[in-house]
Amino acid sequence: MAIEQNEQYNFITTFLEEAEDAALALDESDKPKGMLHGVPVSLKDFFTVKGYDTTLGMARYVDSPWAEDCVVVKVLKYQGAIPFMKTNIPQTNLHFDCSNPIFGRTLNPWSKQRTPGGSSGGEAAAIAAGSSIVGMGSDIGGSIRIPAHFCGICGIKPTVGRISKKGLHMFKGENLLAASMGPMGRDVDSVATMMKALLVPYMFELDPMTPPLTFNTEEYESNRPLKIGFYLEDDWSVPIPACNRAVELAVATLKSQGHEVVPYSPTRAQEMYLDYYMRFCMADGGQELLKSLEDEPVFDPTIKGQVSVLKLPKILRTTLAILLKPMMPLLSRMILCLNGFRSIKDMNEKKCDIQEWQLKILQDWERLGLDAVVCPVAPCVAVLNGYPAKCLGALSYTAYYNLADFPAGVVPVTTVTAEDDQNLKSYYNYDVLWMKNMKMGCVDAIGLPVGVQCVTKPWHEELCLRVMRDVENGLKKD
């Protein structure tokens, strides 16, 4: 089935040839069965498997098989899982589309004219197409959550470090803004089962840098009433009608199950996205990104735009930003962020600001008595192919919780209706280029899935999954 579906949607990078033999060996083994005994698991290409390439969508890493499985793969095999294929990612693995010069473009199973999102787009497409039950993705700005939202599946971004990163193919020196590994699946229980199977002593032995926190089943299965905050808009973007309606549906179903749901406002969302998240992504002015693309065909349209600006001398980028400021002030700020930090002192001051901001969020939650927050995943649904390059500002809802380092998961809630599509026509036309592009990328989206984002305090992934499960189960009853 995966091969047939791949011909339509192009989500596979590599089949793992030993998968069938591994499954047969499990059946014949007398060893105790693991939590994932015989379960086929797909892996984002980012995860390293012994004997196979991990390309990051770049030609320089082709024909460079890895000598060892990463810790996540070792634990999955220990639990009896059968890793059977690796899935597609965008070039450099750093944005929310899914195309590269090696494997081409992955298409969304809900509509071939739409992106599946990224960077875990191949993984989301494989699960949405029915070719995989569960899989593993990674997330540094929404790379699990946006594809889950665009493809109508579930996924969770844990607190950084909850799941081991040891042995992965990553850009060196990543610590200012770190990626998180997390499972993706067709339903919440599948995602929770993957978390439970990974958070075991064997993983902590393989990677002593991972905190030894096993899965808290009591918290996941608890029925105690919760106090949950919600919001529709941050102060950076306004979601299209379908995304607002999805949050309203989630709020209604949570209330129907006895939870108290109250309005909540995120703290300094625009400032954190523009002046902190984007600046930390380009802390060195994009030099490491440009270096990684030397002698590479720059294939993906999102990367092409970034590279064109990054190749400009810093003085020209700054001049361009100044010239654009009167007409497009937000675009001007985005371009200035590509310059990175002025000095080590500047960077350290920003790091201190982030720590104070994280503390302020926690204080706000404590003051309001919040257990969780529900909000949009993005201000859009799956946009037309090519449009992620035109609406890079659409990451504010997800990137906020990467910067804060709160666990955040996605659960599908509804699909775009004819009324949503009609209401999009009167969607407020902000004088912001990326939002105008986003609106154009969302036209004629009837039937596409719409999810919501559920967020909890750091290291409380089980509670996050519990809120996701309550949304999922409540909608089944309605």
Side-chain angles (χ1 to χ4, degrees), residues 234-256:
D234 57 18
D235 60 358
W236 167 245
S237 62
V238 177
I240 65 171
C243 295
N244 279 342
R245 185 173 61 82
V247 174
E248 290 164 354
L249 281 171
V251 166
T253 195
L254 288 168
K255 285 182 176 179
S256 72

Side-chain angles (χ1 to χ4, degrees), residues 140-341:
I140 199 170
S143 293
I144 287 172
R145 290 161 290 160
I146 287 176
H149 169 54
F150 283 6
C151 291
I153 66 166
C154 299
I156 187 170
K157 175 207 78 70
T159 311
V160 171
R162 185 78 197 266
I163 294 176
S164 173
K165 296 188 288 185
K166 187 176 180 181
L168 295 172
H169 188 184
M170 306 173 73
F171 285 111
K172 295 178 181 178
E174 182 199 273
N175 58 6
L176 293 177
L177 187 64
S180 179
M181 312 304 119
M184 306 168 74
R186 298 181 191 177
D187 53 46
V188 178
D189 272 341
S190 297
V191 174
T193 299
M194 287 283 284
M195 286 290 290
K196 188 174 183 179
L198 287 166
L199 299 176
V200 293
Y202 184 58
M203 183 174 74
F204 313 142
E205 292 169 12
L206 292 174
D207 184 4
M209 297 301 290
T210 303
L213 301 173
T214 56
F215 189 83
N216 188 338
T217 302
E218 182 179 352
E219 188 168 66
Y220 175 59
E221 295 181 352
S222 170
N223 291 316
R224 71 176 178 89
L226 304 173
K227 188 172 183 182
I228 301 170
F230 80 95
Y231 62 95
L232 301 177
E233 299 179 18
D234 57 18
D235 60 358
W236 167 245
S237 62
V238 177
I240 65 171
C243 295
N244 279 342
R245 185 173 61 82
V247 174
E248 290 164 354
L249 281 171
V251 166
T253 195
L254 288 168
K255 285 182 176 179
S256 72
Q257 294 175 78
H259 300 302
E260 181 183 0
V261 187
V262 298
Y264 170 76
S265 297
T267 303
R268 298 164 60 192
Q270 180 180 134
E271 180 188 3
M272 283 297 152
Y273 182 63
L274 276 178
D275 299 333
Y276 290 80
Y277 177 81
M278 290 191 66
R279 199 176 296 276
F280 272 83
C281 284
M282 294 293 163
D284 63 349
Q287 293 308 301
E288 181 68 21
L289 177 62
L290 291 177
K291 183 180 177 182
S292 72
L293 289 168
E294 285 178 0
D295 302 319
E296 289 279 332
V298 181
F299 176 85
D300 190 281
T302 309
I303 292 294
K304 282 182 180 179
Q306 289 178 323
V307 167
S308 297
V309 177
L310 288 171
K311 282 185 174 180
L312 293 174
K314 188 174 182 178
I315 185 65
L316 286 183
R317 285 205 301 266
T318 304
T319 303
L320 177 62
I322 293 170
L323 292 173
L324 287 172
K325 188 174 181 179
M327 301 170 290
M328 299 178 178
L330 292 179
L331 179 59
S332 172
R333 282 175 69 184
M334 291 175 77
I335 292 172
L336 283 176
C337 288
L338 298 178
N339 287 341
F341 295 107

Side-chain angles (χ1 to χ4, degrees), residues 39-59:
V39 175
V41 175
S42 50
L43 303 167
K44 181 179 182 176
D45 185 74
F46 173 82
F47 288 87
T48 52
V49 179
K50 181 180 179 179
Y52 294 90
D53 293 344
T54 295
T55 66
L56 301 184
M58 295 191 282

